[in-house]
Amino acid sequence: MTSNENRKNKPVSFNLKDELDLELLAHAEMVNPLTGKSRNFSKYVKRLIEEDMKGGDHNYKTEGTKSHVSTEKDFYTIEIKEAQGSFL
Amino acid sequence: MNRLVLGVDAGNHKGKVVGPFGVDSFKTNICDWFERDVEEKFGADDMEFEIGNRKGFAGSIAEHEDDYGNGTRYGDSKAHEDTKIRVLLAINRYLNRYCPHFEHVSIVTGQPIKRHKAAEKNAISDMLEGTHSIKVNGLKRTITIDKVGVAPEGSGAFWSNPQMGTIRIIDIGSGTINAATIIDNHHINNASDTFNFGMETVKNKNDLKGIARGIIGNTTKLKWKKDDKILICGGTTEGIAPYLSEHYHNAEILVPSMNRGEGVSTLHPVYANAAGFYVLAKGAYG
């Protein structure tokens, strides 16, 4: 049996009548389609705190890999700007 | 002078904004101003606004009025003016949240594919460009919108995660569904369309299978093929994707992907249009 002696729990309260709280709760409990399990809430909150300490932005999920666009300067070529112009 | 570049998706149900500092979303219901019961409380996303000669409420309180009110909500005839209010509220929220010192903004916003025509685009740009004095929840602010680009909804979402080849996009909105075809980074108009139903207009919004059937029927008329590469975006993407995949075997969820510092960041598919508009705005005005 695991002991909670060396742990400190901090509960998070969600108001089930508040739309924003409900949205946050649903997001926090989102099911991972690969595992079929919902997010580990403790781990998730701790990761958010860690990102905050590093000055990260919580709206984005950073994956740390290179994108299809290596840098913005590389991305906005004359061809891309011409193609994008046809959308506006 | 600080100038901000934003992608603004001012939907009928929710507004979504993507910019250099992060994202924002809010309920876009709007209703006329009325005397409030003092016992009532403002919700977190409630906004009391004065924009031009319009005074009203936006957010949850306006949604409540839509459902139970006395019919004071605005009709279709003011659709353009509602768009202006939604866009200005969206910019105001973004500034308050991330960068209150900005006054000058350039944006790309959207228009359903079917109505993405020069006259309508110009009407939207003319309405939005210029200096606006607004008052929201008692606070006055001046916003100058220098440039406005208008992109086709669904199609514009392509730029949130661009890829070569033939790409079909199904953008599921609250009032309309946009079906876009992009070949090698170019929008193909004759294989794209807007369908006049959405998640908030169908009889039973829980009947995702039925809605998927409607989308498949309409896209087949556009000569989309079963093995085409399909990307799905919008608020109910995860729920409807399995039903669309039954017919379109190569259907995937469109996950907006953005460069952020040293890595790549992903956003929920509900932000696909706003993120695509932001990429277009950076290219045009950044």
Side-chain angles (χ1 to χ4, degrees), chain B residues 179-216:
Chain B
T181 297
I182 290 102
I183 300 180
D184 294 342
N185 293 338
H186 289 78
H187 170 77
I188 308 298
N189 205 48
N190 62 10
S192 307
D193 203 356
T194 302
F195 311 136
N196 283 327
F197 62 96
M199 293 310 297
E200 299 295 323
T201 64
V202 290
K203 271 186 198 156
N204 177 8
K205 64 178 175 184
N206 295 317
D207 179 19
L208 296 175
K209 194 173 183 177
I211 297 165
R213 210 180 301 128
I215 294 170
I216 292 163

Side-chain angles (χ1 to χ4, degrees), chain B residues 86-263:
Chain B
R86 288 185 182 126
V87 168
L88 287 169
L89 290 175
I91 295 170
N92 184 59
R93 279 181 59 100
Y94 197 91
L95 295 175
N96 283 347
R97 183 167 176 177
Y98 295 110
C99 47
H101 56 290
F102 281 81
E103 283 184 10
H104 285 257
V105 186
S106 286
I107 64 166
V108 167
T109 188
Q111 177 79 332
I113 290 173
K114 203 183 246 177
R115 294 174 61 188
H116 190 251
K117 303 197 184 324
E120 298 226 19
K121 287 195 287 180
N122 290 338
I124 292 173
S125 302
D126 289 349
M127 177 177 69
L128 293 172
E129 281 174 2
T131 298
H132 307 271
S133 295
I134 68 170
K135 190 171 167 187
V136 179
N137 292 343
L139 295 173
K140 287 182 182 170
R141 181 194 289 280
T142 301
I143 297 169
T144 298
I145 307 181
D146 294 320
K147 299 276 183 193
V148 175
V150 182
E153 290 168 0
S155 197
F158 166 80
W159 291 100
S160 71
N161 194 346
Q163 39 203 291
M164 291 302 277
T166 300
I167 308 292
R168 318 280 198 185
I169 294 175
I170 297 171
D171 164 35
I172 301 158
S174 59
T176 55
I177 288 168
N178 290 289
T181 297
I182 290 102
I183 300 180
D184 294 342
N185 293 338
H186 289 78
H187 170 77
I188 308 298
N189 205 48
N190 62 10
S192 307
D193 203 356
T194 302
F195 311 136
N196 283 327
F197 62 96
M199 293 310 297
E200 299 295 323
T201 64
V202 290
K203 271 186 198 156
N204 177 8
K205 64 178 175 184
N206 295 317
D207 179 19
L208 296 175
K209 194 173 183 177
I211 297 165
R213 210 180 301 128
I215 294 170
I216 292 163
N218 279 286
T219 46
T220 304
K221 284 182 200 157
L222 292 171
K223 297 192 166 54
W224 290 21
K225 301 212 166 46
K226 276 188 167 190
D227 56 354
D228 283 349
K229 172 86 181 269
I230 310 272
L231 299 174
I232 310 159
C233 62
T236 48
T237 302
E238 290 99 336
I240 206 163
Y243 298 108
L244 290 170
S245 303
E246 283 177 17
H247 180 82
Y248 288 120
H249 307 306
N250 291 321
E252 289 173 19
I253 290 172
L254 171 50
V255 180
S257 165
M258 315 283 290
N259 274 305
R260 299 273 299 168
E262 293 183 359

Side-chain angles (χ1 to χ4, degrees), chain B residues 22-36:
Chain B
V23 304
D24 185 45
S25 83
F26 67 103
K27 282 200 185 120
T28 47
N29 302 67
I30 294 169
C31 71
D32 278 324
W33 194 86
F34 57 90
E35 195 75 49
R36 299 192 63 162

Side-chain angles (χ1 to χ4, degrees), chain A residues 6 22 50 52 63 65-66 68 87:
Chain A
N6 297 319
L22 277 173
E50 199 183 346
D52 189 36
E63 292 178 343
T65 52
K66 280 276 173 193
H68 49 278
F87 282 69

Side-chain angles (χ1 to χ4, degrees), chain A residues 21-52:
Chain A
D21 271 22
L22 277 173
E23 209 174 311
L24 296 175
L25 180 61
H27 187 76
E29 293 182 328
M30 196 185 286
V31 173
N32 181 335
L34 297 176
T35 61
K37 291 178 184 169
S38 70
R39 247 199 261 263
N40 179 321
F41 186 69
S42 271
K43 270 190 192 170
Y44 179 54
V45 170
K46 281 188 273 188
R47 190 169 60 79
L48 289 178
I49 296 168
E50 199 183 346
E51 277 176 20
D52 189 36

